[in-house]
Amino acid sequence: ELTSQGAGTYWYLPPECFATRSANHHAPPRINPNVDVWSLGVIFFQCLFGSRPFGEGQSQQTLLSERTMLRATSVTFPSSPVISDATRDFICKCL
């Protein structure tokens, strides 16, 4: 069940938080306690590569207006640094 609205930083919220918003595209996303696994994947990716996997360089308003997180269906990994298959798999499972 969705429990709060407008909390959190949008880059670390999973797409389903944005999919349940009202018809108003500028309404803040709703979150629930299950977003932590997605957030862990984003943070781990950011620690390894120095950027976010989705919406890097965008403002939160742009994330909403361009529906960036709703289109976050697969992650593209930079070529450097080289990571193990297990690390790549872990990030993909989180995201």
Side-chain angles (χ1 to χ4, degrees):
E1 180 174 313
L2 300 175
T3 58
S4 60
Q5 184 173 356
T9 305
Y10 295 171
W11 295 272
Y12 302 93
L13 296 177
E16 58 267 23
C17 291
F18 296 87
T20 59
R21 295 184 308 128
S22 69
N24 178 357
H25 294 300
H26 299 291
R30 294 182 59 91
I31 62 169
N32 69 35
N34 299 325
V35 302
D36 295 339
V37 172
W38 175 277
S39 298
L40 176 64
V42 172
I43 291 167
F44 198 62
F45 184 98
Q46 193 169 11
C47 286
L48 290 170
F49 300 108
S51 62
R52 297 178 190 104
F54 309 106
E56 181 65 26
Q58 293 181 327
S59 68
Q60 289 199 141
Q61 184 58 39
T62 302
L63 284 176
L64 287 177
S65 66
E66 294 186 5
R67 303 171 61 96
T68 300
M69 299 312 293
L70 285 172
R71 293 183 285 111
T73 58
S74 65
V75 62
T76 301
F77 290 89
S79 58
S80 176
V82 176
I83 59 172
S84 69
D85 289 341
T87 300
R88 183 181 305 267
D89 186 53
F90 174 76
I91 292 171
C92 287
K93 286 181 178 176
C94 288
L95 302 176

